[in-house]
Amino acid sequence: IVVGVYFGTVFIATISRALSHTHGVREDRNWWSKYIISFFMLFWFGIAIFFCFNAMVFGESLAGLAEVNFQLSVPLQEWVTFLNLPFTALVLILFALVLYLFTPENYLTVKQALPGAIFFSLGWIAVTKLFQIYVARYDRYNPTYLALASIIVLLTWMYLTCLFLLLGGKLNAIVRRENERARAKQAQAVPQTA
């Protein structure tokens, strides 16, 4: 557990360094400050991704089982099917906002971090839906091959999750730079007309 927490903290610190690099900023934080933030972000990251992944991939099945086993009178499976995507997207946007607001060395506003958070949320949902299709379609094959292929697909899913996190941060940096350029051009144009 300790080794897992350590490597998870290093992972978040690496994401933080990469996000700072996309904004063209060098990290000047103390090492202990960076790792304390990374430690808390690790648990936020773990809880958010665990919840969203299980809701997307297994939510409908678990709701159907609960509905049958507990003989619920409410249509839980229909509710989960209908509300699954909006709640997952909202949780992912909040997760990415927290990550983009607190981990890079330069500080963004919520408005500046929102485009990357939305991009991450939509990309993550698309990749997870593809993973869900894989799990639903290929569960009838040889268990040995299924286990090996599932590990490869899961690692690919993890890679794409990290890639969408970084691409969302890059999108935020590009939007921020373009807004600053537009403001600078506008400021240069105002004195000439006056």
Side-chain angles (χ1 to χ4, degrees), residues 11 45 49 124 127 131 151-165:
F11 164 73
F45 180 82
I49 293 296
W124 189 90
V127 167
F131 185 79
I151 290 171
I152 293 168
V153 171
L154 184 63
L155 289 174
T156 304
W157 175 83
M158 291 170 133
Y159 170 77
L160 290 173
T161 296
C162 294
L163 182 66
F164 279 116
L165 267 177

Side-chain angles (χ1 to χ4, degrees), residues 40 54 66 125 147 165-166 180:
F40 288 113
N54 285 320
I125 287 172
L165 267 177
L166 293 176
E180 287 172 358

Side-chain angles (χ1 to χ4, degrees), residues 120-179:
F120 166 73
S121 176
L122 294 176
W124 189 90
I125 287 172
V127 167
T128 305
K129 278 293 185 187
L130 289 173
F131 185 79
Q132 180 185 17
I133 290 169
Y134 171 79
V135 168
R137 288 259 166 98
Y138 299 106
D139 63 347
R140 61 186 176 271
Y141 289 112
N142 185 330
T144 304
Y145 294 122
L146 179 65
L148 292 173
S150 296
I151 290 171
I152 293 168
V153 171
L154 184 63
L155 289 174
T156 304
W157 175 83
M158 291 170 133
Y159 170 77
L160 290 173
T161 296
C162 294
L163 182 66
F164 279 116
L165 267 177
L166 293 176
L167 288 175
K170 187 67 174 173
L171 178 65
N172 288 338
I174 291 170
V175 168
R176 184 178 184 181
R177 271 188 232 127
E178 291 302 316
N179 287 341

Side-chain angles (χ1 to χ4, degrees), residues 23-175:
H23 289 281
V25 176
R26 180 180 157 86
E27 285 195 346
D28 292 330
R29 287 186 187 147
N30 297 329
W31 66 269
W32 55 269
S33 169
K34 181 171 54 173
Y35 283 107
I36 288 174
I37 291 170
S38 297
F39 179 76
F40 288 113
M41 288 301 298
L42 172 67
F43 288 103
W44 173 242
F45 180 82
I47 290 168
I49 293 296
F50 179 77
F51 169 77
C52 291
F53 181 80
N54 285 320
M56 292 284 294
V57 176
F58 306 114
E60 293 176 35
S61 302
L62 292 175
L65 286 172
E67 198 174 316
V68 170
N69 289 339
F70 298 119
Q71 298 175 353
L72 300 175
S73 59
V74 294
L76 186 63
Q77 191 170 14
E78 290 177 25
W79 288 4
V80 169
T81 303
F82 180 71
L83 298 174
N84 191 2
L85 242 50
F87 280 137
T88 301
L90 182 66
V91 168
L92 287 171
I93 289 171
L94 288 174
F95 158 71
L97 274 176
V98 169
L99 189 73
Y100 295 145
L101 291 174
F102 292 123
T103 56
E105 186 64 30
N106 66 326
Y107 298 102
L108 301 172
T109 63
V110 172
K111 185 178 177 182
Q112 291 171 331
L114 195 58
I118 292 171
F119 176 79
F120 166 73
S121 176
L122 294 176
W124 189 90
I125 287 172
V127 167
T128 305
K129 278 293 185 187
L130 289 173
F131 185 79
Q132 180 185 17
I133 290 169
Y134 171 79
V135 168
R137 288 259 166 98
Y138 299 106
D139 63 347
R140 61 186 176 271
Y141 289 112
N142 185 330
T144 304
Y145 294 122
L146 179 65
L148 292 173
S150 296
I151 290 171
I152 293 168
V153 171
L154 184 63
L155 289 174
T156 304
W157 175 83
M158 291 170 133
Y159 170 77
L160 290 173
T161 296
C162 294
L163 182 66
F164 279 116
L165 267 177
L166 293 176
L167 288 175
K170 187 67 174 173
L171 178 65
N172 288 338
I174 291 170
V175 168

